[in-house]
Amino acid sequence: MSALEHLPDTDNGLLRFLTCGSVDDGKSTLIGRLLFDSKTILADTMNAIEKTSAKRGLTAVDLSLLTDGLQAEREQGITIDVAYRYFTTGTRKYIIADAPGHEQYTRNMVTAASTANLAIILVDARKGMLTQTRRHSTLAKMVGIPHLVVAINKMDLVDYDQATFESIRNDYLAFAEKVGIKDVRFIPMSALNGDMVVERGDRMGWYEGPTMMQILESAPAAHTEKPEDFRFPVQYVCRPRDSANPELHDYRGFMGRVESGEIAVGDTVTTLPSGQSSRVKAIEIGGQRIDKAIHEQSVTLLFEDEIDTSRGDMIVKSAETPAALKQIDADVCWLSETALSPARTYLLRHTTREVKAKVARIEYRLDVNTLETGDAATLEMNDIARVSLKLAQPIFADPYQRNRATGAFIIIDESTNNTVGAGMIA
């Protein structure tokens, strides 16, 4: 009987998780094994990777090909871009992000980590802790991923030795204490053979903890671990025109996504920046009226009063108003090949609001390999730094550690319209 058949018949919600680690630690193979053992691979996809595996002279199917989708990745045998895959076990839906292991693709890893609620840090049992292990763990903590799982992979290549597992575990715990990582679990496994991924296998009886799938099934979903303030950035103001339906003449709905918290009919809300307040008259989703909306639902809000609100404004509960900020300190990851210029004006996009921004100062640049900080006059691609930004108009934000949706922003180069930076408000 499959291990999946023992899972409870419940809905544990959506889990977004990230796999990361050094090159060749087996990230793509782990995801392939999860997809294969959970029977979520389409027949034509399986046939394609079987043919590719045979062309490479392999006797077994190379499951890493399920995520290494770019031609350059397949040719080099590495992951370059972030690959997203989706699957379900019947009790939970998953979105997996497979992040590159190479240091030059740090920006891709930060992008993938920004929405993850759990990160799997893979470690090759033969090599132990490497620079990228520390680097990705530090980045995972910095971008606010609340749960880390250290998967000590390729145990089949060290004869499933318990002492090897314990040694790497102790090394990581010493590092985690220094960095301030608290919620971390450890699991020995062989993604290639499937030991401790979905099935337990019979070669690591000394390990009594859960399999990787059991950890994923029981991990808390986003927005479920602590109360959150209601945040609703307005994307669009809906004013339908239908002469055949007089009831629509006074219709004025504010459309957007509930980034955090929840809202119910009758709640008192305030719109920012105007500061005007009203009560929620109705909530609509897909043309149907509902009594309450929760996080990550896209809905339309209708108010009892006519208030001045437009795209880029923020609707909040009147008792949960965030700060209006015209200067912010933030941890910024520079994504562009063109260096940051403190003399230039950039466009800062925060939720649905866009404002002009200038760099007031670069307080320090962080070396995520050594955790040391140093002075910097500019930022190059993949650099991470604490930056102070001055804004032309206020944004309505929360600290990133409190609210990842309203604590994050991107920086856009107005001349090219390219995203050049991503930031987290301190």
Side-chain angles (χ1 to χ4, degrees), residues 244-284:
N245 190 347
E247 293 183 1
L248 292 179
H249 290 179
D250 297 324
Y251 186 101
R252 190 163 186 256
F254 304 106
M255 308 178 77
R257 190 176 98 138
V258 180
E259 293 295 350
S260 62
E262 59 182 42
I263 192 72
V265 173
D267 285 347
T268 302
V269 294
T270 298
T271 66
L272 302 172
S274 71
Q276 294 179 292
S277 297
S278 184
R279 289 165 63 91
V280 178
K281 179 174 66 175
I283 304 172
E284 297 181 352

Side-chain angles (χ1 to χ4, degrees), residues 199-263:
E199 308 291 345
R200 296 192 67 85
D202 56 6
R203 287 165 285 204
M204 287 186 283
W206 47 265
Y207 171 74
E208 299 179 351
T211 65
M212 180 61 72
M213 181 59 78
Q214 288 171 330
I215 291 175
L216 296 176
E217 285 288 302
S218 60
H223 307 287
T224 63
E225 298 184 78
K226 60 183 178 180
E228 295 181 325
D229 293 340
F230 174 69
R231 299 290 184 259
F232 186 84
V234 178
Q235 294 184 18
Y236 183 71
V237 180
C238 182
R239 295 298 300 269
R241 295 289 184 264
D242 187 352
S243 58
N245 190 347
E247 293 183 1
L248 292 179
H249 290 179
D250 297 324
Y251 186 101
R252 190 163 186 256
F254 304 106
M255 308 178 77
R257 190 176 98 138
V258 180
E259 293 295 350
S260 62
E262 59 182 42
I263 192 72

Side-chain angles (χ1 to χ4, degrees), residues 161-375:
D161 179 47
Q162 181 179 1
T164 300
F165 169 77
E166 294 292 347
S167 176
I168 296 173
R169 179 179 180 274
N170 292 336
D171 288 346
Y172 192 95
L173 285 173
F175 159 77
E177 183 178 1
K178 178 182 177 182
V179 178
I181 296 173
K182 297 178 180 179
D183 188 339
V184 57
R185 305 176 72 171
F186 299 86
I187 179 172
M189 69 180 196
S190 169
L192 182 65
N193 296 329
D195 298 284
M196 295 299 170
V197 181
V198 174
E199 308 291 345
R200 296 192 67 85
D202 56 6
R203 287 165 285 204
M204 287 186 283
W206 47 265
Y207 171 74
E208 299 179 351
T211 65
M212 180 61 72
M213 181 59 78
Q214 288 171 330
I215 291 175
L216 296 176
E217 285 288 302
S218 60
H223 307 287
T224 63
E225 298 184 78
K226 60 183 178 180
E228 295 181 325
D229 293 340
F230 174 69
R231 299 290 184 259
F232 186 84
V234 178
Q235 294 184 18
Y236 183 71
V237 180
C238 182
R239 295 298 300 269
R241 295 289 184 264
D242 187 352
S243 58
N245 190 347
E247 293 183 1
L248 292 179
H249 290 179
D250 297 324
Y251 186 101
R252 190 163 186 256
F254 304 106
M255 308 178 77
R257 190 176 98 138
V258 180
E259 293 295 350
S260 62
E262 59 182 42
I263 192 72
V265 173
D267 285 347
T268 302
V269 294
T270 298
T271 66
L272 302 172
S274 71
Q276 294 179 292
S277 297
S278 184
R279 289 165 63 91
V280 178
K281 179 174 66 175
I283 304 172
E284 297 181 352
I285 182 169
Q288 303 295 319
R289 294 207 166 184
I290 57 177
D291 295 328
K292 182 176 74 172
I294 63 172
H295 53 82
E296 298 191 4
Q297 282 187 314
S298 295
V299 299
T300 302
L301 302 181
L302 290 87
F303 297 156
E304 292 181 353
D305 307 290
E306 286 281 346
I307 59 177
D308 181 18
T309 302
S310 58
R311 174 178 170 82
D313 291 355
M314 179 84 74
I315 298 173
V316 301
K317 288 184 179 178
S318 298
E320 301 173 352
T321 305
L325 304 174
K326 288 194 70 175
Q327 180 158 339
I328 58 175
D329 292 329
D331 294 317
V332 172
C333 178
W334 196 250
L335 309 177
S336 175
E337 296 178 357
T338 303
L340 176 145
S341 171
R344 291 190 56 186
T345 298
Y346 293 94
L347 194 64
L348 184 144
R349 180 176 296 161
H350 173 261
T351 63
T352 60
R353 189 171 182 82
E354 292 185 353
V355 300
K356 293 184 182 297
K358 290 201 69 171
V359 175
R361 64 185 178 277
I362 301 174
E363 297 184 10
Y364 58 81
R365 180 167 51 199
L366 174 69
D367 185 333
V368 296
N369 298 324
T370 64
L371 304 182
E372 295 179 351
T373 59
D375 295 336

Side-chain angles (χ1 to χ4, degrees), residues 17-281:
F17 71 92
L18 167 77
T19 60
C20 51
S22 191
V23 179
D24 294 330
D25 279 349
K27 300 177 294 297
S28 299
T29 301
L30 170 61
I31 295 176
R33 175 61 63 181
L34 284 169
L35 296 174
F36 181 79
D37 284 358
S38 59
K39 298 178 174 59
T40 55
I41 304 174
L42 297 176
D44 57 346
T45 302
M46 194 66 196
N47 289 335
I49 66 170
E50 285 175 349
K51 291 179 181 178
T52 304
S53 299
K55 288 179 181 179
R56 292 183 174 181
L58 302 175
T59 56
V61 175
D62 184 357
L63 295 175
S64 69
L65 295 174
L66 286 166
T67 54
D68 289 338
L70 298 179
Q71 186 64 33
E73 294 174 325
R74 297 194 179 196
E75 290 174 354
Q76 298 180 54
I78 63 171
T79 300
I80 295 174
D81 201 2
V82 179
Y84 292 95
R85 289 296 180 269
Y86 311 85
F87 76 104
T88 179
T89 59
T91 62
R92 164 166 263 175
K93 294 179 180 179
Y94 295 92
I95 300 177
I96 318 169
D98 182 22
H102 284 264
E103 181 174 346
Q104 63 263 41
Y105 303 123
T106 296
R107 58 179 181 170
N108 303 59
M109 186 271 176
V110 171
T111 301
S114 63
T115 58
N117 207 52
L118 179 146
I120 300 173
I121 313 288
L122 276 92
V123 178
D124 189 325
R126 301 168 301 172
K127 302 175 183 177
M129 293 267 295
L130 298 175
T131 298
Q132 280 296 76
T133 311
R134 297 178 176 86
R135 184 180 184 86
H136 283 167
S137 298
T138 302
L139 290 171
K141 178 182 181 295
M142 188 185 78
V143 300
I145 299 179
H147 307 288
L148 300 186
V149 179
V150 177
I152 300 172
N153 191 29
K154 302 190 179 182
M155 289 296 294
D156 53 303
L157 299 181
V158 295
D159 296 325
Y160 301 97
D161 179 47
Q162 181 179 1
T164 300
F165 169 77
E166 294 292 347
S167 176
I168 296 173
R169 179 179 180 274
N170 292 336
D171 288 346
Y172 192 95
L173 285 173
F175 159 77
E177 183 178 1
K178 178 182 177 182
V179 178
I181 296 173
K182 297 178 180 179
D183 188 339
V184 57
R185 305 176 72 171
F186 299 86
I187 179 172
M189 69 180 196
S190 169
L192 182 65
N193 296 329
D195 298 284
M196 295 299 170
V197 181
V198 174
E199 308 291 345
R200 296 192 67 85
D202 56 6
R203 287 165 285 204
M204 287 186 283
W206 47 265
Y207 171 74
E208 299 179 351
T211 65
M212 180 61 72
M213 181 59 78
Q214 288 171 330
I215 291 175
L216 296 176
E217 285 288 302
S218 60
H223 307 287
T224 63
E225 298 184 78
K226 60 183 178 180
E228 295 181 325
D229 293 340
F230 174 69
R231 299 290 184 259
F232 186 84
V234 178
Q235 294 184 18
Y236 183 71
V237 180
C238 182
R239 295 298 300 269
R241 295 289 184 264
D242 187 352
S243 58
N245 190 347
E247 293 183 1
L248 292 179
H249 290 179
D250 297 324
Y251 186 101
R252 190 163 186 256
F254 304 106
M255 308 178 77
R257 190 176 98 138
V258 180
E259 293 295 350
S260 62
E262 59 182 42
I263 192 72
V265 173
D267 285 347
T268 302
V269 294
T270 298
T271 66
L272 302 172
S274 71
Q276 294 179 292
S277 297
S278 184
R279 289 165 63 91
V280 178
K281 179 174 66 175

